[in-house]
Structures are given as structure tokens and as C-alpha cells.
Amino acid sequence: MPARNDGRDPQGTTDDRPYLFVHSYPPPVLPAGSFPVDNGVRPVPPEVCWYLCSGIQPLTAFQPGEDLTVQVTVGNWQGGNSESIAYLGLWWSPPVSGPLVPDADKFLGLTTVVVPPHGGQVVSDPLTGRIPADAGPHVCLLAQVRHPLDPPGTNVADPVDDRHWAQHNLVALPVGSPGTLPFLASNPLAEEAEYLISVGPVPPVRWPGFRLDGDPEPVGAEAGLIVLTGPDGRELARDEGELSCALVLDGGERRPLEVTVEPAGAVAAGTFAPFEVVQYRIGAEVPAGGIGLAFTGG
């Protein structure tokens, strides 16, 4: 059992403390039994798009300067017969490729949910908050669930390793011209750390995690050219097909970067080509975080 789950067994029936998690998979488009079921064990399986939590459901379209309304699905795998009152918080952030401590000024709302034990799930009441007009054309949503007897391991939003956190980080771009995305590479640690930024097509095993308006079909597409630039506009890396770039980030640093991806070939109407930006801690086996990119056909 991963250490972030405190060595507890989510299938056990004798532990009556809450065992809470933001329900992050399977994708809602798949039939039952065709995908792993989220029982709160982390890190998430490799076929899961950790940056596209299906339990975070925007109910209104994102528009800078307007209210955004979101619901979140919470699960609970405690033993015993008691329901648990869980506290659910929601934040927004600029697109970020790694874990971070959410900013207090980007807090969208707090609510409570009463979740049954033994795998019970509850969809929260809608949470509504204003996204500032200067937020930019894309934002990331971060959700956290907690209980005094089942708090997160840290205040770092880490949807890959911590069941209390989840992230919805998807950018949809029209195909036909280079897609450019500003984002933040983050290091929540107190000390300097080395990370790897990887950009490329999403493996087909993770395609079901992408859900776009109109339900277009995912298609495979190579990247003709990928360019990563730093905050001063200096080119950090350039490659075709896939790109990897090592960065040393200071403790607590959030470094502004920009990636430009040119899909190779046309993307037909009614389809989309999925790509991803993934950040790894050098030497770690699982990603630190990521961003989904969907190039939609016209």
C-alpha cells in the first residue's frame, strides 16, 4: 500500500475511520468492468489521466471574468456502518505541470458532503466562484477532500500520489496552426530539485480519459515540431515527435514556460488529437503532474 495512504487497506472492513478520496476514474464514457475502479489507492494506474479527474465536473463553461460552477464526486472506503462528513475545497490555478500548494487568493469554495462507507460515492453540491478576468484563456481546477481523522499528507496538491487531491487540467486548441500553451513548472519542495518536462502524444491506453464537448473521437497524431521556451523567451529545447527537457527549480519556484506543438498532418472534423505535458521528479517512478492538450479538428 502506498505510504500516502498511511498503510491502510481500502478493502478492509474493520477500520471505521474515514478513507476519503476524490473519485478520479474510470472515465464516464466506459462500460463497467472495462477499466480499473478507483478505490482510493494511489499512485493512480498508468492508464489513468491523473490530470483529467473525471470526478471534477464543470457545470458551466469557463470564461475569464465570469462565475464558474463545479461539482466534485467524493468516495469513502471506510469500514463500519457510519457515514462521514467530509470537507471539500476547490481552487483554480494557471495551467501547471507539477504539484503545488494552491494559492489562497484562487480559492473557489468549500462545502461538506456526507459519504457512506464501503465504497460509497456522493456528488457534492455545486461550488461557484468567480474566475478573474486576467486569469488567461485556460485554468486548472484542484479539489481536496479531508476529515479530521483522514487529512491529506501535506498541503501540496498531488493528484498522482495523494487520494485526497484531484486535478482537472485540459487545454483544447484548434488544429491548423501551431498550438502554444503558457504553463508553470512547479517545485513545491523547500529545497532545489531537478525535474524533467516531457511533451508528446498521449498513449492510446489513456485516451478514454479525454472527454470534450460534442464527444469527438480521439485519433493518433504525431508532433511535427515541439518547442519549449523559458520565461525570457529563450529556447530551451526543440524536437520532433516528442520532447524532453531537464530543469533545476529552486525551492517553491513556479517557473513560467511556454510549449508550442505542431501536430503532423490533418485532424478530421469530429475528432481530436491528444497530447500531454508531463513533469517528473528526476529519479522518481511516477509523474509529479501534467496537462492534457487536445487539438480539435475543424
Side-chain angles (χ1 to χ4, degrees), residues 93-122:
S93 164
V96 58
S97 61
L100 81 163
V101 178
D103 297 326
D105 64 353
K106 295 178 174 59
F107 185 64
L108 290 176
L110 175 74
T111 190
T112 57
V113 290
V114 180
V115 197
H118 303 289
Q121 295 182 24
V122 170

Side-chain angles (χ1 to χ4, degrees), residues 2 5 93-94 99 110 138 190 205:
N5 289 333
S93 164
L110 175 74
H138 307 285
V205 71

Side-chain angles (χ1 to χ4, degrees), residues 17-18 20 83-87 145-152 164:
R17 293 174 296 165
L20 300 167
E83 298 177 323
S84 287
I85 300 176
Y87 298 91
V145 64
R146 64 164 54 237
H147 184 279
L149 296 178
D150 186 27
H164 301 88

Side-chain angles (χ1 to χ4, degrees), residues 33-125:
S34 63
F35 202 81
V37 174
D38 190 355
N39 62 4
V41 173
R42 300 292 186 267
V44 296
E47 60 266 50
V48 170
C49 281
W50 63 94
Y51 46 79
L52 288 178
C53 168
S54 61
I56 299 177
Q57 305 121 24
L59 302 181
T60 57
F62 164 67
Q63 179 66 43
E66 302 292 337
D67 286 347
L68 181 68
T69 300
V70 180
Q71 287 182 315
V72 180
T73 302
V74 176
N76 181 21
W77 210 274
Q78 76 185 82
N81 298 314
S82 299
E83 298 177 323
S84 287
I85 300 176
Y87 298 91
L88 177 69
L90 186 72
W91 292 258
W92 73 272
S93 164
V96 58
S97 61
L100 81 163
V101 178
D103 297 326
D105 64 353
K106 295 178 174 59
F107 185 64
L108 290 176
L110 175 74
T111 190
T112 57
V113 290
V114 180
V115 197
H118 303 289
Q121 295 182 24
V122 170
V123 178
S124 75
D125 291 335

Side-chain angles (χ1 to χ4, degrees), residues 197-201 226 228 241-244 259 261 275-278 293:
I197 303 295
S198 176
V199 186
I226 306 174
L228 185 69
E242 296 181 341
L243 177 146
S244 293
V259 63
V261 180
F275 289 79
E276 60 187 7
V277 179
V278 182
L293 295 172

